[in-house]
């Protein structure tokens, strides 16, 4: 995967959006130090010349041109001829250069925000050049990226990635229960198979794992909310309008969960302008007469950029990282305050417009960058006047991919839930890990990078006339492997959590540094 990102990023640079940028005709700008630089010279009479690597000498703009046709590859380079134009005859000079905003859009279109990680990894801290650890990543890799344990389902032919579980639970004190739909799992001879894998630079601690077999009426599905409660989903109402915070139309990207996601534009953001520090979607939905509640259904997940920023947050503790973890283990209330502060800024907040004000309705929780997750938020729309419900989704710019957004106004329908425990669970080195996964209490299944466990479950018959949805329920946490070197960046860490926009400011600053590195690389 890292190699693929590197190749696609390079391709995006090579095909990047170039433009002619007008430059002052100054000796410091044109000194002959960039052999591949192309310059377009417009003369006073309107004639246009395109020359390579010119320099100012005396009262003229001068360049060197090879004499004769291009020689065979094995021959010496041609001799050079000096040419020049008096500065007084030049109306304008323009340099062929990367358009940072257009190139960023191209990279996002090609491979998403993850393609910016190569440029980002070359900077310390959060784009400010100070503090924290150093990733050491290069060439498109993300050596210290981490997100959460991955769960694969056996679909009868192959393993398919089906879930990234308990995202954001980056320490024992933040361990949580997570519920996620299993879209690919299939039963064979009354059994189903799952695989839990640690493929990232972290240690995973899985305290409990089970499968929920949910029977319901045909034509329905089931999905969880942030607390793990299950909701029935039937006929969905799609939005009639969707725009991001810069006014760009996003309706085509979010009116159906089809893999074509909306993602925040990373370019042109200023850390001193509040409007540049948040992004999201404002959506409009038709409202049936008298509807007082609705279930918002969001298909989406965080970006690889968000996962990298989480790693940077941990790395900023430097050689005090272990002491920081220990202190929060002793202070669960402090750990929860930390988790709540991160959630307020980085998770996807939901609000409904009532009397001209956005009324908070809850959060869509962290869902790892590897795969989209369906989540539900229950909306109170009793105070909404008229036949339109307006919903706002908001987070840090470039932190979320939103694939689909819809509403279900119908009442909840009855469901029957059966919890399935693993009939077998084979962990690293062939160990039986059923006991570790059977209950939150007691020991955990610990997975180091590259380790996995395979599980099988007995599947009960589906009652006649019913349909079934399978969901994964887990409880656990993970420890990101960040460099524990250097002094803690106390000022940065304080700003991240005390400033309501601290994470946004830090992320935008680092994104700007990444875009700057892209622009330099393209010159």
């Amino acid at each position: 995967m890292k190699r693929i990102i590197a190749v696609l990023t390079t391709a995006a640079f090579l095909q990047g959006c170039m433009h002619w940028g007008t430059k002052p005709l100054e000796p410091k700008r044109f000194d002959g130090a960039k052999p591949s630089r192309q310059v377009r010279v417009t003369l006073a009479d309107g004639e246009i010349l395109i020359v390579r690597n010119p320099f100012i000498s005396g009262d003229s703009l001068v360049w060197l041109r090879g004499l004769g046709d291009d020689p065979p590859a094995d021959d010496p380079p041609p001799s050079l001829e000096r040419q020049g134009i008096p500065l007084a005859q030049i109306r304008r000079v323009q340099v062929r250069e990367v358009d940072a905003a257009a190139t960023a859009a191209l990279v996002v279109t090609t491979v998403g925000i993850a393609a910016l990680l190569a440029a980002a990894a070359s900077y310390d801290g959060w784009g400010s050049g100070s503090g924290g650890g150093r990733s050491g990543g290069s060439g498109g890799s993300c050596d210290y990226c981490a997100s959460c344990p991955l769960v694969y389902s056996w679909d009868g032919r192959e393993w398919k990635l089906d879930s990234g579980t308990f995202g954001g639970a980056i320490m024992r004190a933040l361990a949580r229960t997570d519920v996620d739909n299993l879209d690919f799992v299939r039963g064979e001879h009354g059994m189903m198979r799952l695989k839990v894998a640690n493929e990232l630079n972290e240690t995973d601690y899985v305290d409990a794992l089970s499968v929920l077999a949910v029977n319901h009426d045909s034509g329905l599905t089931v999905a969880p909310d942030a607390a793990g409660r299950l909701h029935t989903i039937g006929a969905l109402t799609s939005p009639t309008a969707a725009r991001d915070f810069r006014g760009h139309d996003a309706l085509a990207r979010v009116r159906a969960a089809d893999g074509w996601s909306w993602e925040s534009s990373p370019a042109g953001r200023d850390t001193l302008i509040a409007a540049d520090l948040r992004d999201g979607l404002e959506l409009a939905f038709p409202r049936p007469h008298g509807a007082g509640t609705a279930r918002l259904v969001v298909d989406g997940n965080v970006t690889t950029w968000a996962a990298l920023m989480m790693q940077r947050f941990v790395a900023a503790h430097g050689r005090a990282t272990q002491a920081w973890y220990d202190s929060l283990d002793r202070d669960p209330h402090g750990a929860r305050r930390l988790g709540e502060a991160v959630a307020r800024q980085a998770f996807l907040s939901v609000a409904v417009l009532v009397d001209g004000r956005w009324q908070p309705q809850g959060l869509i929780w962290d869902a790892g960058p590897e795969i989209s997750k369906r989540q539900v938020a229950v909306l109170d729309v009793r105070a909404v006047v008229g036949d339109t419900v307006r919903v706002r989704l908001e987070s840090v710019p470039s932190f979320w991919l939103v694939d689909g957004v819809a509403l279900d106004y119908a009442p909840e329908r009855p469901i029957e839930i059966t919890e399935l425990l693993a009939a077998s669970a084979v962990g690293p080195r062939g160990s039986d890990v059923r006991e570790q996964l059977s209950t939150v209490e007691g020991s955990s299944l610990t997975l180091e990078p590259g380790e996995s466990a395979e599980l099988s479950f007995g599947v009960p018959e589906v009652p006649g006339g019913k349909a079934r949805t399978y969901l994964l329920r887990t409880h656990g946490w993970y420890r990101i492997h960040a460099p524990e070197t250097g002094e803690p960046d106390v000022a940065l860490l304080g700003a991240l959590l005390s400033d309501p926009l601290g994470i946004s400011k830090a992320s935008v600053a680092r994104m700007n540094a990444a875009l700057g590195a892209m622009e330099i690389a393209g010159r």
Side-chain angles (χ1 to χ4, degrees):
M1 180 62 180
K2 293 178 180 179
R3 179 174 176 80
I4 291 172
I5 291 174
V7 169
L8 290 177
T9 304
T10 301
F13 282 149
L14 294 176
Q15 302 173 27
C17 301
M18 307 291 289
H19 75 146
W20 291 104
T22 302
K23 305 294 181 184
L25 196 56
E26 302 170 342
K28 66 180 181 180
R29 293 184 178 272
F30 298 94
D31 57 5
K34 298 179 179 179
S36 62
R37 191 186 209 188
Q38 294 184 50
V39 176
R40 183 164 66 184
V41 182
T42 302
L43 303 182
D45 61 5
E47 182 181 0
I48 295 177
L49 304 174
I50 296 180
V51 301
R52 190 177 299 276
N53 193 29
F55 56 95
I56 292 177
S57 178
D59 63 353
S60 299
L61 184 68
V62 178
W63 63 93
L64 302 178
R65 185 183 71 175
L67 292 174
D69 296 331
D70 291 339
D74 295 336
D75 287 0
S79 57
L80 298 175
E81 176 187 16
R82 182 183 174 105
Q83 295 190 336
I85 294 288
L87 299 178
Q89 296 181 18
I90 297 175
R91 179 192 302 169
R92 183 174 59 182
V93 290
Q94 296 168 290
V95 175
R96 183 75 163 163
E97 60 187 2
V98 173
D99 183 328
T103 302
L106 173 63
V107 171
V108 168
T109 300
T110 305
V111 292
I113 207 67
L116 297 176
L117 298 179
S122 65
Y123 285 81
D124 285 331
W126 295 71
S128 62
S130 64
R134 184 179 181 87
S135 83
S138 61
S141 67
C142 182
D143 292 344
Y144 298 106
C145 277
S147 61
C148 54
L150 305 180
V151 179
Y152 291 82
S153 292
W154 181 255
D155 71 350
R157 294 181 301 174
E158 62 182 350
W159 292 108
K160 285 192 174 180
L161 180 61
D162 220 353
S163 179
T165 190
F166 48 77
I170 61 168
M171 62 186 66
R172 186 191 305 275
L174 296 180
R176 68 181 182 91
T177 297
D178 187 50
V179 179
D180 190 13
N181 288 68
L182 293 174
D183 297 323
F184 300 117
V185 71
R186 298 291 180 272
E188 291 182 316
H189 310 295
M191 302 294 291
M192 67 168 58
R193 299 166 60 194
L194 300 178
K195 180 168 64 174
V196 186
N198 179 1
E199 298 179 357
L200 301 166
N201 202 7
E202 63 191 33
T203 300
D204 297 335
Y205 301 90
V206 187
D207 299 327
L209 186 151
S210 61
V211 172
L212 303 180
V214 184
N215 299 329
H216 47 77
D217 292 341
S218 59
L220 302 178
T221 58
V222 176
D225 61 22
R229 294 180 293 260
L230 301 186
H231 301 269
T232 54
I233 306 298
L236 292 174
T237 299
S238 299
T240 55
R243 292 190 176 276
D244 67 20
F245 289 7
R246 289 182 165 178
H248 301 139
D249 190 347
L251 183 61
R253 291 180 179 264
V254 301
R255 64 186 170 194
D258 53 9
W260 188 33
S261 300
W262 170 82
E263 184 174 7
S264 174
S265 172
R269 295 185 180 276
D270 189 333
T271 57
L272 299 180
I273 300 176
D276 284 345
L277 297 176
R278 304 293 287 175
D279 204 359
L281 296 167
E282 293 185 3
L283 308 104
F285 296 89
R287 178 195 184 195
H289 177 71
T293 61
R295 291 180 300 287
L296 178 74
V297 181
V298 177
D299 292 276
N301 56 296
V302 301
T303 64
T304 309
W305 180 262
L308 179 66
M309 292 300 98
M310 180 67 81
Q311 181 275 332
R312 294 293 185 180
F313 167 65
V314 175
H317 293 84
R319 60 170 56 99
T321 300
Q322 185 59 54
W324 172 64
Y325 278 119
D326 292 341
S327 68
L328 291 175
D329 282 343
R330 294 190 300 268
D331 180 14
H333 294 293
R336 282 195 291 272
R337 288 195 299 271
L338 167 65
E340 291 166 358
V342 172
R344 282 194 302 270
Q345 294 195 54
F347 290 6
L348 197 62
S349 65
V350 180
V352 169
L353 189 64
V354 178
D355 292 333
R357 300 181 59 139
W358 292 105
Q359 301 292 334
Q361 301 285 311
L363 297 172
I364 300 297
W365 275 57
D366 185 304
E370 295 81 9
I371 186 169
S372 181
K373 177 178 180 177
R374 171 163 284 190
Q375 298 188 64
V376 172
V378 178
L379 308 183
D380 182 353
V381 297
R382 291 173 296 178
V384 173
V385 177
D387 57 4
T388 299
V389 174
R390 301 190 183 277
V391 176
R392 180 182 177 99
L393 305 177
E394 179 180 335
S395 188
V396 179
S398 300
F399 262 36
W400 280 84
L401 294 167
V402 180
D403 187 17
V405 188
L407 290 183
D408 185 348
Y409 290 101
E412 295 274 9
R413 279 75 97 195
I415 58 176
E416 300 173 354
I417 305 172
T418 302
E419 183 176 16
L420 309 177
L421 299 180
S424 69
V426 181
R429 296 166 294 281
S431 57
D432 184 346
V433 295
R434 283 177 295 176
E435 183 177 352
Q436 289 94 312
L437 298 176
S438 63
T439 176
V440 173
E441 304 299 329
S443 59
S444 305
L445 167 62
T446 302
L447 297 175
E448 298 295 346
E451 293 184 338
S452 63
E454 291 193 21
L455 302 85
S456 62
F457 300 81
V459 181
E461 292 289 333
V462 180
K466 294 291 185 178
R468 175 173 289 169
T469 298
Y470 291 108
L471 300 99
L472 176 74
R473 181 159 69 184
T474 61
H475 186 280
W477 61 286
Y478 55 99
R479 168 78 178 259
I480 295 172
H481 294 177
E484 299 185 19
T485 58
E487 293 300 319
D489 193 333
V490 177
L492 171 65
L493 293 170
L496 288 177
L497 300 179
S498 63
D499 185 339
L501 294 174
I503 294 176
S504 292
K505 290 177 182 177
S507 178
V508 169
R510 187 164 183 82
M511 182 64 74
N512 289 341
L515 292 171
M518 289 174 64
E519 183 176 3
I520 291 170
R523 288 177 180 172

